[in-house]
Amino acid sequence: MPFTEHVRPSRKAALLGCIFLGFSSGLPLFILYNLLSAWLKSEGVDLKAIGLFALVGIPYTWKFIWAPAMDRFTLPILGRRRGWMIATQVLVMFAVMLMGQFNPSQEIWVVVGLAAVVAFFSASQDIVVDAHRREWLAEEEMGSGTALFVNAYKLSTLVPGSLSLILSDLITWDWVFFITGLFMLPGILTTLWVSEPNLYGPAPKTLKEAVVDPFKEFIGRRGIRHALLILGFIFLYKLGDSMATALATPFYIELGFSRTEIGLVAKNAGLWASILGGILGAYWMLKTGVNRALWLFGFLQALAILGFAILAKTGADLWVLTWVIGFEALSVGLGTAAFTSYIALETNPRYTATQFALFTSLSAVPRTFINAITGFIVASTGWFNFFLLCFILAIPGLLLLPRIAPWSGSGRDLVK
């Protein structure tokens, strides 16, 4: 089929695909940052060591290095995007299942290695899923589709952050990880169902086209100073809330909540807040565009951090925990939806995978390298002061909004 004759999916198919692929993209990350930390904590691993486990997320910050290869080469099945998607999803599923077969207190380096494998193939899945979504959706669907994708991404935390924790009080950890890994199946089935996008032309024919041209185009678009400003904003916008949630599950456990209590509250408060966030985010960006969403949702996600500080003072109060988890799921989900939509619109469709990987790699730096020292910060400052620090670190990204996305501007608005 000529590229000019590409037929886009129906709106219903596009939105359903965004939901299930968002769930598949988020699940491995929350296994690493929620379930893994709860498992290590319950097995007696030191809190500082748990914080250092954030370093297994290094592939999320360096995925732009191998993204050009996923742009350049095509696997022999399902096409350039879906072939890589199905391969990475299957490998993630089996690595998660295998990880739970080991005892972290006795075989910690095996667990580290398998966690790194999960992170690598999860980051690789993100490369092609992001590229597929950018190429698959029409411009006018980008805001609503991305909002649904991001909130399904956030919603996937209910499996490792709720269901798996409840199961861990009932069955052994090896079965918990096996069952959790099976939740990759909806994404695998969706990959088999969706179509292969090919609107913007064939794969790059040379390494120069795949590696050099995407970076050259980005820098040359509006000059190196503006390019650095964009990269600074991408690094800072999610810094505060990323740090605040890095040790959320160990924080709840240390306050005195049981894993079942955490799971049940996350299931109820987090579920409905995420659903509401998906509806509000899609509606807001469809009506007013991405610029204003970045302002409003960024302010809300900064306020959500203060909820953790309040919980640190109140202690093990289930009602406060409910409000904290619910508001965090709503506001951070909305902020991530606007942020991801902004990133999508900053990519040139000719270089989707590589540019998208560059931007999302930079946004992952805080949760990988900076989050690795959160355990040491908490040990020095205590939980309350730690969350106040996270709130302060959320402010610089908001201060860049007048330059990046003016409130009255239309440069990044989705509605043309």
Side-chain angles (χ1 to χ4, degrees):
M1 178 186 294
F3 298 117
T4 55
E5 297 178 9
H6 177 75
V7 178
R8 289 197 179 275
S10 69
R11 181 177 293 269
K12 181 179 179 181
L15 297 183
L16 282 175
C18 286
I19 290 171
F20 288 109
L21 290 176
F23 185 91
S24 179
S25 289
L27 183 67
L29 179 69
F30 293 119
I31 289 172
L32 292 173
Y33 288 98
N34 288 357
L35 182 61
L36 187 61
S37 62
W39 181 37
L40 297 175
K41 180 72 174 177
S42 69
E43 295 295 318
V45 178
D46 182 70
L47 186 63
K48 295 178 181 178
I50 296 175
L52 289 173
F53 255 81
L55 293 175
V56 302
I58 286 176
Y60 291 100
T61 68
W62 292 98
K63 61 185 178 181
F64 65 90
I65 293 177
W66 65 92
M70 303 181 85
D71 250 344
R72 170 68 180 84
F73 300 105
T74 302
L75 296 182
I77 57 169
L78 297 180
R80 181 160 60 123
R81 300 305 185 204
R82 294 193 305 147
W84 285 112
M85 284 161 63
I86 199 77
T88 55
Q89 288 165 344
V90 170
L91 288 167
V92 165
M93 181 175 68
F94 284 115
V96 169
M97 291 176 174
L98 185 60
M99 185 162 52
Q101 308 305 308
F102 298 90
N103 187 328
S105 63
Q106 299 175 1
E107 301 165 299
I108 188 66
W109 290 110
V110 178
V111 173
V112 169
L114 287 170
V117 170
V118 172
F120 177 80
F121 288 112
S122 172
S124 301
Q125 178 193 201
D126 289 349
I127 292 171
V128 281
V129 168
D130 287 339
H132 181 276
R133 186 178 69 260
R134 179 66 175 98
E135 297 165 355
W136 204 48
L137 296 179
E139 290 290 327
E140 62 271 15
E141 296 170 340
M142 192 64 65
S144 56
T146 301
L148 290 173
F149 176 91
V150 167
N151 281 280
Y153 189 106
K154 288 284 295 180
L155 198 62
S156 68
T157 191
L158 294 178
V159 176
S162 177
L163 176 63
S164 299
L165 293 181
I166 295 170
L167 289 176
S168 70
D169 278 337
L170 304 173
I171 59 178
T172 57
W173 280 107
D174 55 340
W175 278 105
V176 169
F177 277 87
F178 181 84
I179 294 171
T180 304
L182 289 177
F183 278 89
M184 288 297 296
L185 288 175
I188 292 171
L189 295 175
T190 301
T191 298
L192 297 173
W193 169 66
V194 298
S195 59
E196 176 73 8
N198 57 358
L199 179 64
Y200 297 107
K205 294 183 174 60
T206 66
L207 283 178
K208 176 182 178 296
E209 287 184 28
V211 179
V212 178
D213 288 0
F215 298 98
K216 183 178 179 181
E217 188 278 334
F218 170 62
I219 294 173
R221 198 182 303 165
R222 278 171 284 179
I224 189 168
R225 291 183 65 180
H226 191 77
L228 291 174
L229 188 66
I230 291 173
L231 295 178
F233 172 74
I234 290 173
F235 175 83
L236 291 170
Y237 188 72
K238 300 290 292 180
L239 174 61
D241 72 86
S242 176
M243 284 184 62
T245 56
L247 295 174
T249 302
F251 168 57
Y252 302 148
I253 293 173
E254 194 165 299
L255 286 180
F257 295 106
S258 70
R259 295 194 299 273
T260 297
E261 286 177 328
I262 297 168
L264 288 173
V265 170
K267 176 183 176 182
N268 290 284
L271 173 61
W272 294 110
S274 294
I275 292 174
L276 179 61
I279 296 171
L280 290 177
Y283 178 81
W284 180 273
M285 283 189 281
L286 188 63
K287 293 297 183 182
T288 66
V290 171
N291 283 25
R292 295 183 179 184
L294 286 169
W295 285 75
L296 178 61
F297 300 162
F299 177 73
L300 288 176
Q301 73 180 9
L303 284 181
I305 299 172
L306 295 179
F308 292 103
I310 293 172
L311 183 60
K313 286 295 186 181
T314 61
D317 186 316
L318 275 175
W319 284 108
V320 178
L321 178 67
T322 300
W323 281 103
V324 168
I325 289 180
F327 189 49
E328 188 272 339
L330 172 65
S331 58
V332 176
L334 289 171
T336 304
F339 183 59
T340 307
S341 297
Y342 170 80
I343 288 177
L345 291 173
E346 280 292 348
T347 62
N348 186 312
R350 290 175 295 169
Y351 312 111
T352 309
T354 300
Q355 288 186 350
F356 218 126
L358 171 65
F359 298 149
T360 54
S361 293
L362 186 60
S363 70
V365 168
R367 74 165 181 253
T368 301
F369 294 101
I370 298 178
N371 288 5
I373 63 172
T374 53
F376 295 92
I377 297 175
V378 171
S380 300
T381 66
W383 288 108
F384 179 77
N385 290 330
F386 168 71
F387 291 125
L388 289 183
L389 173 64
C390 293
F391 173 74
I392 293 170
L393 291 175
I395 296 174
L398 298 178
L399 295 178
L400 289 176
L401 284 173
R403 297 284 305 277
I404 291 295
W407 178 265
S408 59
S410 59
R412 294 266 64 88
D413 287 347
L414 294 174
V415 182
K416 304 295 182 182

